[in-house]
Amino acid sequence: MIITVAKSDEEVRRALEPYRDIVVIGCGTCATICRTGGEDQVKEMVEKLVGWGKNVLASMVVESPCDVRIDKRDLRRIEDEVEKADALLVMSCGVGVQAVGEASGKKVLAALDTVFLGEVEHIGRFLERCRECGMCVLNETEGLCPMVLCAKGLMNGPCEDMINGKCGVIENDVDCVWVKVWERMKNEGREDAFLRVNPPLDRSVKVGAMKVTW
Amino acid sequence: MELKLKDSLRKGFTLIGQVNSARTVDVNVVVNAVKSMGKVSAVIVSEPQGVLGAANTAVVSGVVKRETGMEVICQLTCRDRNRAALLSDVLAAKMLGVDCFLVTDGSHPKTSDIPQAMAVFDLDSAQLVQMIKHLSEKGETPAGHKAEGQLNLCVGTIAFPAASPIEVEVRRLERMARLGLDFMVTYPTFSIEALNRFQSETKRLDVPVIVGIRMLQDVRDARRLNEDPRVTVPPELIASLEKAETLKGEGKANACLEANLNFFEGFIEAVKSSGFAGCSIHAPGIEQAVSRLVSKLKT
Ligand code: SF4
Ligand code: SF4
């Protein structure tokens, strides 16, 4: 799940300043679960925009705005409004914002901040679990992601900030992931695995604008 | 060629000093501090805690080496430099006559005075130890990038005797020991019992342990240090520093110095009889105290 949080009203308002005729687009998938871009949040946003003196031409929740095909299909229903709009305000993750821009060819603005890829423990509690490193090392680290769960992204922890098994960098009393890795290895009787030096990561894997094609 | 520090650690109890780099362009701040330390066999040039952007320790180490002729151990952290910049600093330091490195991961920028800075950690401390050992032994990085010239380097790390769970810390050190770690310096420790426990856990690693001594300017300094959960300043030392607070100016400074000397003279003797390889004495802001302490010790 891609976890999002709402930008402040002030920031959204500032981004919208040059524009008057607006279409608001929500997300029926992740942002609905995060309660940042579902039906209710879109409705609230429309009310806010009206309050700020904007002219809201249309609003809709696209099933998954990150999919250009679905954007094209769903936006057809409000084709004229999209055409007339000065900007589309998209209440989805950054991927959705960009895909809607591509599908519509229009100016798009982001209403949310995309914060992480996380698991959903329950609605209202989302936990970061992956930073899409492109070379998953979970098989070396007992199924615990060091890029995310270690504040320094170390491949051979722990470090000097480990205090009583907790990470002294990450707030809220979080366990040092390297202590957990050790415990899991120990429980499996594989203590020696902890002595292995994991090699440096190949940073060239993530140069940006990656593509997967086949 | 045998490196002086390695040689000296093997031969007997070795006293070294430690001095912080600083956010300054005045080299005398560091050089004078080193000069006032008196008879120590080597000096660690370390990064000040919680301060980002202090003058590069590789360069400062080179300057200290040139100005004092002393053997210098340069602290390198993985916090601000990617693997290429670390390699570059190791080579530049060696060019300036610095052979020894004290490698740590480095604290996170978030806990520093420039919390917005990017946390690099392209390598971690184990990978950096590996790189330096590889350079030293094979003249190239583990990835096969060649460096010209005689490298012959020595590398240590900081150990945390009070870490809990201690078994994880011991394994972390064992991982580095297997890479050929040349020495360890403990984080400031005031308890001989804790050190002896640590020694019994790490003796089998066969890596010389230098005990980190942190002298205290006054009771405020002691209390601040005590806020670090990895350090426990003994109450009796705090009490004697507190007594000095009734005095002023030089009288107070002398009383604080006496309190330090009284505590550490015996402490270092105990460290020595416990069979540790040496002590590294850090006295930030009162470096001349190192000289007083060293001259009091039986050699
Ligand atoms: S190692 Fe972590 S960041 Fe990389 S792919 Fe696996 S879970 Fe994601
Ligand atoms: S304490 Fe553990 S989790 Fe936190 S930065 Fe250090 S190694 Fe990573």
Side-chain angles (χ1 to χ4, degrees):
Chain A
M1 176 81 45
I2 300 182
I3 310 303
T4 45
V5 295
K7 283 186 182 290
S8 69
D9 284 356
E10 197 198 344
E11 194 183 340
V12 174
R13 201 171 170 173
R14 205 178 326 114
L16 283 168
E17 208 167 69
Y19 311 106
R20 198 194 50 161
D21 297 335
I22 312 291
V23 167
V24 180
I25 311 278
C27 160
T29 313
C30 303
T32 287
I33 291 178
C34 292
R35 297 202 179 149
T36 49
E39 294 286 357
D40 291 349
Q41 294 78 39
V42 167
K43 213 171 123 217
E44 273 165 38
M45 181 60 83
V46 170
E47 280 162 20
K48 253 183 234 170
L49 296 194
V50 172
W52 297 341
K54 302 291 175 189
N55 185 22
V56 180
L57 303 178
S59 69
M60 81 178 299
V61 173
V62 171
E63 187 190 320
S64 41
C66 54
D67 188 329
V68 176
R69 300 164 308 163
I70 293 173
D71 290 329
K72 285 189 174 150
R73 184 194 73 193
D74 288 4
L75 290 179
R76 214 171 286 144
R77 304 212 306 265
I78 50 168
E79 211 167 13
D80 292 345
E81 290 85 348
V82 167
E83 180 54 38
K84 276 192 224 125
D86 296 328
L88 315 186
L89 180 65
V90 187
M91 302 178 74
S92 76
C93 71
V95 181
V97 178
Q98 295 174 74
V100 168
E102 239 171 84
S104 65
K106 298 293 290 190
K107 168 86 194 179
V108 281
L109 296 168
L112 309 181
D113 284 324
T114 307
V115 282
F116 53 79
L117 288 196
E119 67 183 39
V120 183
E121 206 172 85
H122 55 75
I123 301 299
R125 190 168 158 84
F126 309 110
L127 306 167
E128 186 178 15
R129 287 295 179 262
C130 172
R131 206 163 282 172
E132 330 90 61
C133 72
M135 48 197 143
C136 194
V137 299
L138 289 176
N139 297 344
E140 277 69 56
T141 55
E142 305 302 295
L144 295 163
C145 174
M147 324 278 177
V148 164
L149 301 175
C150 168
K152 300 177 187 173
L154 306 180
M155 285 302 296
N156 299 285
C159 74
E160 60 251 59
D161 284 313
M162 188 270 283
I163 310 284
N164 294 325
K166 303 283 176 186
C167 175
V169 185
I170 302 174
E171 283 153 30
N172 303 327
D173 217 23
V174 172
D175 290 331
C176 166
V177 68
W178 282 101
V179 173
K180 286 170 100 177
V181 168
W182 159 253
E183 279 162 2
R184 288 190 182 184
M185 286 174 172
K186 197 168 106 176
N187 287 342
E188 274 190 27
R190 296 190 304 114
E191 285 92 339
D192 278 359
F194 200 75
L195 301 177
R196 178 187 62 215
V197 180
N198 288 310
L201 299 171
D202 178 358
R203 314 281 176 187
S204 72
V205 170
K206 290 281 274 190
V207 281
M210 286 172 82
K211 267 186 212 161
V212 175
T213 51
W214 74 84
Chain B
M1 191 196 77
E2 185 54 275
L3 291 164
K4 272 202 316 209
L5 179 71
K6 271 164 93 171
D7 196 34
S8 142
L9 287 173
R10 196 167 312 120
K11 281 201 187 118
F13 196 72
T14 305
L15 286 173
I16 64 180
Q18 181 181 342
V19 67
N20 283 341
S21 177
R23 212 186 269 149
T24 177
V25 290
D26 182 359
V27 336
N28 290 325
V29 169
V30 183
V31 170
N32 290 343
V34 173
K35 283 183 177 162
S36 64
M37 282 183 184
K39 272 187 68 189
V40 286
S41 314
V43 61
I44 299 173
V45 173
S46 50
E47 291 197 353
Q49 256 182 8
V51 178
L52 260 62
N56 181 308
T57 51
V59 176
V60 176
S61 295
V63 172
V64 168
K65 168 98 194 178
R66 191 189 63 201
E67 297 287 316
T68 67
M70 278 171 76
E71 171 146 34
V72 183
I73 303 162
C74 168
Q75 190 190 2
L76 280 182
T77 75
C78 304
R79 183 190 59 215
D80 310 326
R81 288 161 281 198
N82 69 8
R83 67 195 78 181
L86 286 165
L87 173 59
S88 163
D89 276 355
V90 168
L91 296 179
K94 176 72 192 183
M95 229 180 237
L96 297 169
V98 176
D99 306 298
C100 281
F101 298 90
L102 180 64
V103 163
T104 56
D105 291 295
S107 55
H108 197 283
K110 201 183 157 210
T111 59
S112 78
D113 64 345
I114 312 184
Q116 302 83 358
M118 182 180 187
V120 179
F121 304 109
D122 180 32
L123 298 186
D124 57 41
S125 53
Q127 293 161 347
L128 181 53
V129 167
Q130 192 174 40
M131 180 176 94
I132 293 175
K133 288 308 287 186
H134 214 89
L135 273 171
S136 183
E137 285 156 16
K138 308 210 165 83
E140 60 179 37
T141 68
H145 300 99
K146 292 212 171 3
E148 278 176 43
Q150 264 290 321
L151 277 127
N152 203 19
L153 308 170
C154 163
V155 60
T157 194
I158 297 182
F160 294 82
S164 155
I166 189 66
E167 57 179 1
V168 184
E169 174 63 1
V170 172
R171 293 284 164 154
R172 181 184 77 88
L173 295 167
E174 183 172 1
R175 190 198 277 144
M176 286 197 189
R178 288 188 173 194
L179 295 169
L181 193 74
D182 296 300
F183 63 96
M184 307 181 215
V185 181
T186 72
Y187 202 64
T189 309
F190 296 80
S191 153
I192 192 72
E193 292 76 27
L195 284 169
N196 286 338
R197 272 197 303 274
F198 177 71
Q199 192 178 44
S200 65
E201 298 266 5
T202 53
K203 202 152 192 106
R204 66 189 169 86
L205 307 184
D206 199 24
V207 178
V209 177
I210 300 168
V211 171
I213 303 282
R214 168 68 157 75
M215 296 183 85
L216 303 160
Q217 247 181 57
D218 53 21
V219 74
R220 267 183 42 229
D221 188 22
R223 291 206 176 107
R224 219 181 301 121
L225 186 66
N226 230 358
E227 282 167 16
D228 182 336
R230 297 162 294 189
V231 181
T232 311
V233 183
E236 65 271 21
L237 182 51
I238 295 192
S240 55
L241 289 166
E242 200 150 38
K243 239 186 251 158
E245 286 300 302
T246 52
L247 304 164
K248 284 203 169 62
E250 207 171 313
K252 179 184 154 185
N254 284 333
C256 287
L257 177 63
E258 277 310 314
N260 274 281
L261 296 178
N262 283 340
F263 180 83
F264 286 117
E265 197 187 339
F267 185 70
I268 293 178
E269 290 304 335
V271 166
K272 193 173 167 185
S273 17
S274 290
F276 286 94
C279 279
S280 164
I281 310 170
H282 193 197
I286 46 162
E287 280 79 8
Q288 64 289 355
V290 178
S291 156
R292 287 288 303 277
L293 178 57
V294 170
S295 64
K296 282 196 93 169
L297 298 168
K298 295 182 224 95
T299 38

